[in-house]
Amino acid sequence: CPNVYDNTKIKLQVKFNRKEDKDFFYSTYEHTETEVEKDNKTNVMTCKNIKNKYEVMIEKLKNKKLGVLIVGIGGNNATTMLGGICANSKDISYIDTYDIKKPNYLGSVFLSSNLRIGYNKKNKEHSYCPIYKLVELYNPEHIIFGGWDINNMNLKDCLYRNKVFGVDFIEKIKNDLDYVPLKSVYFKGNFIADNQQLRVNNILVGTNKLEILEKVRNQIKEFKKQNNLNDVIVLWSGNTEKTIPIIEGVNDTFINILGACKNNHVSVSPSIIYALAAILENCPFINSSPQNTLVNAVVELAEYKNVFIVGNDLKTGQTKIKNFLLDFYFGTGLKPKSIVSYNHLGNNDGKNLSSDLQFYSKKISKSNLICDYVKANDNLYVSDDDMNEKNMRSKHKNIKNNDFCKGDSLISTSTDTVEIEKDCAFTDMLEKQKVNSDIVIKYVPYVGDDKKAMDEYISEIFMNGKNTICLYNICQDSLLASPILIDLILLVELSQRVYFKSLKMNDSNEKILCNGNINIDNYVISHDMVSNKYKNFKRMDSILYLSSLFCKSPFNSSVYKTRHSFFSQLESLLNFIRIICDLPTDAHLDLPFMA
Ligand code: NAI
Ligand code: DG6
C-alpha cells in the first residue's frame, strides 16, 4: 500500500531533563520487588525486598523506515486498520449516513489515551499527557504495509466485500489501497474452517512445508529490499486456526520443527510457517488470533534470535469488559460465581468460528482470563473447595478425550468437562470450576460486523446475597479490533528500540540453540545470531509481556506467569513508558497532596 503522506501530528511535546546524544535518550530506574517464601506447614510468608538498578536507553527514530507484513491482509481487521490509517493520514472528511465525520484513532492506547505524568504544584492538579507526546513513537501513517491473503482480491474491493466502512469513506480512500496480496501459505487439514474454501485462490506451492517456509522468507526479504526498510514486523490477522497438538519430537524444538516441515507433518500449521519465516528473517511476529502458533519450537527460535513474539488473540470487546469487571469484583471483595458470555456476529470471522475446531481455539482464549483471578483470590473460595473437589474428581474419571495434546485428532465436543480438561491441568480445572464460566458464539450472517454480545455475571455478596449484572453490547467488531493492531505494532516497534542494563544482569545465561550450523538436508541456518546487545545493554525478553493489555490470552514465558488483572496490565505498560522517559513509576499514592 502506498504510504506517502507526510503527517507530523505525532511528535514529542514534553520536555525532560534527561541525558541524550545523537542516537539515544538515557534514563535510570531502580526496581524493588518483594521475594516471598511460603512455609506450607505454618502458612507463614516471609518477605524480602530485592532492589535492582537499571540503566535504560531508547534509540531515536531518526530516518528509520518500518514495514509491516500482514497475514490475512484482505480480511476485516486488516482492511479496517489500513483504511483507518489511510483516512487519518489524508485527513479526509466523509459522510457517515447523514453526518460529516473526521477520522480518529479512538481505541488506541498509544494514540488516544493519556498517562498521568505528575503533579502540578501551582494548580494543585494531576498532570496528564497523551502517550505519543511523551515518547517517540513510529507514526503509523509512515508504515509501509504489505501482506498475504489466500484470496487474491484487491484490497480496494475487499473494502466493499468486508462491509465495515460506508461507501463515501471507501470511495475517498480506495485508490490508496490498490494492492493485490502476496501468494500465501495454505495447507489442507482443516486449519481454518472448510467454509473458507471458496476464498482459496492465491497460494504458494512447494513439495514440502520447508520449501514453502523458504518461499515466505524470500517474500519477506524482497519486501524489505524493495521498500528499503530497516525493520519489518509480521502480523498474523488471518482466520482463527484450529489448536494444534503439542507433540514431542515435532514442535518442541526448532530443529524438530524443521524436520517436521520437511516431512510435511500434519501438525505444522500455516501460522507456524509465517512465524518461523518471520523470526528467521529477524522480524517480530504478532499473533492476533487465538490459536497456539507460539509452540515451544517457535519460542526457542525467537529467544535464540532475540526477536519479539506477541500473542494471543486481541482483547477487544466482551473479554476486555470481562477483564476490568473481574478487577472490580475481586478488587472490591465480591465473589463471582457464574459468568456466561454469548455473542452472535455475521462477518467472515464469525463464519470461520461456526466450525467446531476453530470455535474451540476461540473458546479457550476467551475462557483463560478467569483462572488467574481465582488463583490470586483463593481465600474467597475456601468454603467451596470441598464441594468442588468431590464434584470434579468424579467428573474427571469420565473424561475420554483428555489426551488430545498428544495426538493429532483433536475433536471438539460439547460437554464442558471435556473441553476444560483439554485446556487446563487438573488443578487449573478445579480452580476454574469455582466460577462457572461458559462461552457461546453463533454465526448470524445478517448482522455482519455488528456483533451483539450478551453477558450475565452472578456474584455472591455480603451474607450470601446474589448480585446479577447483565450486559448487552452492540459493537462494530473490526472497528474495536483495528486500533489494537496499531497499538501492538507501535509497542513492538518501540520495544525494539529500548535497551536495559541491569547491574545484576548475568550474561552467561544466554541460550544456545545448537553448536555451529543447523543443517537439515540442504537447509542451512548459519549460527549468525544477531546479538541484541549494544554497549552491554540488552533488549527485553523475546516474549513481550507488555503486550498483555492487548491480548485476550496473553502469551508468557515459563519464567513469568501472566498477570491477568487489567489494571496491572495497563499500569505495567504505562510504567514502562514512564521508565523510558526517566519519570518515576506511578505508585498511585497522592503523597504530594499531604505535604
Ligand atoms: P477475516 O475472516 O475477515 O480475515 C481473515 C483473513 O485471513 C481472510 O481474508 C482470509 O482469506 C485470510 N487468511 C486465512 N488464512 C490465511 C493464510 N494462511 N494466509 C493468508 N491469509 C489467510 O477475519 P478478521 O475479522 O479480520 O479477524 C482476523 C482474526 O482476528 C481472526 O482470527 C479473529 O478471530 C481475530 N480477532 C478478531 C477480533 C475482532 O474483534 N474482529 C478480535 C480478536 C481477534
Ligand atoms: C466472536 O466472539 C468473534 C471473535 O473473534 C470476537 O469478536 C473477538 O475475539 C473479540 O472478542 P472479545 O471477547 O474481546 O469481544
Side-chain angles (χ1 to χ4, degrees), residues 18 21 23-29 53-61 64 135 230-231 282 284 305-308 491-503 505 510 530-541 544 546 576 579-582:
R18 60 178 164 172
D21 58 26
D23 297 319
F24 291 96
F25 293 111
Y26 298 90
S27 61
T28 52
Y29 169 61
K53 262 199 165 167
Y54 296 88
E55 285 176 28
V56 187
M57 47 183 219
I58 328 176
E59 202 177 338
K60 294 181 177 175
L61 268 172
K64 183 178 174 182
V135 65
N230 304 86
D231 283 315
N282 299 308
K305 301 272 277 178
N306 291 123
V307 169
F308 288 121
L491 174 65
V492 169
E493 191 287 322
L494 173 65
S495 304
Q496 298 222 98
R497 289 183 287 118
V498 175
Y499 298 82
F500 283 82
K501 184 159 83 178
S502 158
L503 296 182
M505 203 130 77
E510 263 171 21
V530 180
S531 172
N532 74 358
K533 274 193 271 171
Y534 195 89
K535 295 186 196 168
N536 290 327
F537 281 72
K538 271 187 157 187
R539 276 195 191 140
M540 284 174 291
D541 290 346
L544 193 57
L546 285 171
F576 167 72
I579 288 169
I580 62 180
C581 295
D582 212 16

Side-chain angles (χ1 to χ4, degrees), residues 21 40 104 116 161 206 230 354 385 402 430 486 538 569:
D21 58 26
N40 285 333
N104 60 43
R116 180 187 172 277
R161 179 194 61 190
N230 304 86
S354 65
D385 271 0
N402 60 353
L430 282 178
I486 299 176
K538 271 187 157 187
Q569 292 173 351

Side-chain angles (χ1 to χ4, degrees), residues 187 191 207-213 261 264-266 268 273:
F187 301 141
F191 288 103
T207 47
N208 61 47
K209 293 182 179 180
L210 198 56
E211 206 179 302
I212 304 273
L213 172 65
C261 289
N264 269 332
H265 196 281
V266 286
V268 179
I273 297 289

Side-chain angles (χ1 to χ4, degrees), residues 287-299:
N287 179 22
S288 77
S289 296
Q291 74 276 345
N292 58 344
T293 307
L294 305 179
V295 290
N296 283 350
V298 173
V299 176

Side-chain angles (χ1 to χ4, degrees), residues 529-583:
M529 173 178 154
V530 180
S531 172
N532 74 358
K533 274 193 271 171
Y534 195 89
K535 295 186 196 168
N536 290 327
F537 281 72
K538 271 187 157 187
R539 276 195 191 140
M540 284 174 291
D541 290 346
S542 291
I543 300 170
L544 193 57
Y545 82 96
L546 285 171
S547 60
S548 305
L549 179 66
F550 306 115
C551 298
K552 259 205 264 301
S553 212
F555 185 76
N556 221 329
S557 71
S558 50
V559 182
Y560 307 103
K561 290 277 187 274
T562 302
R563 280 213 250 170
H564 279 291
S565 155
F566 193 81
F567 174 82
S568 88
Q569 292 173 351
L570 179 60
E571 272 310 305
S572 73
L573 185 66
L574 299 184
N575 278 334
F576 167 72
I577 307 280
R578 292 185 184 104
I579 288 169
I580 62 180
C581 295
D582 212 16
L583 296 170

Side-chain angles (χ1 to χ4, degrees), residues 131-319:
I131 296 170
Y132 62 85
K133 294 198 172 167
L134 198 63
V135 65
E136 198 183 22
L137 296 173
Y138 198 89
N139 186 340
E141 293 156 26
H142 295 166
I143 298 172
I144 307 292
F145 287 101
W148 300 268
D149 205 290
I150 48 174
N151 187 257
N152 67 0
M153 188 182 277
N154 190 305
L155 298 192
K156 57 184 184 179
D157 301 318
C158 292
L159 287 167
Y160 281 104
R161 179 194 61 190
N162 296 345
K163 294 194 177 103
V164 177
F165 294 121
V167 173
D168 188 47
F169 180 95
I170 295 178
E171 285 300 311
K172 286 188 171 138
I173 59 146
K174 68 175 188 193
N175 291 334
D176 296 274
L177 266 71
D178 184 3
Y179 180 85
V180 176
L182 299 169
K183 285 198 185 310
S184 305
V185 184
Y186 178 81
F187 301 141
K188 289 205 169 109
N190 291 333
F191 288 103
I192 57 174
D194 277 347
N195 61 30
Q196 300 295 310
Q197 196 60 41
L198 275 178
R199 287 205 175 197
V200 185
N201 66 7
N202 190 36
I203 60 176
L204 292 165
V205 284
T207 47
N208 61 47
K209 293 182 179 180
L210 198 56
E211 206 179 302
I212 304 273
L213 172 65
E214 276 301 279
K215 289 190 176 176
V216 178
R217 289 183 68 182
N218 286 335
Q219 289 172 319
I220 299 173
K221 279 191 191 114
E222 192 60 21
F223 175 71
K224 198 169 175 185
K225 197 169 137 204
Q226 262 178 9
N227 295 293
N228 200 14
L229 302 167
N230 304 86
D231 283 315
V232 174
I233 295 171
V234 175
L235 164 68
W236 172 276
S237 183
N239 292 118
T240 298
E241 292 179 334
K242 71 177 178 184
T243 301
I244 54 145
I246 304 302
I247 310 170
E248 221 176 291
V250 172
N251 47 27
D252 51 349
T253 68
F254 173 61
I255 295 185
N256 286 343
I257 210 160
L258 278 189
C261 289
K262 172 121 203 308
N263 299 329
N264 269 332
H265 196 281
V266 286
S267 74
V268 179
S269 60
S271 63
I272 287 182
I273 297 289
Y274 289 109
L276 291 172
I279 301 164
L280 286 166
E281 291 308 313
N282 299 308
C283 305
F285 178 82
I286 301 169
N287 179 22
S288 77
S289 296
Q291 74 276 345
N292 58 344
T293 307
L294 305 179
V295 290
N296 283 350
V298 173
V299 176
E300 188 186 40
L301 180 66
E303 285 179 339
Y304 174 69
K305 301 272 277 178
N306 291 123
V307 169
F308 288 121
I309 47 174
V310 169
N312 292 317
D313 211 2
L314 305 176
K315 186 154 65 192
T316 51
Q318 224 171 4
T319 312

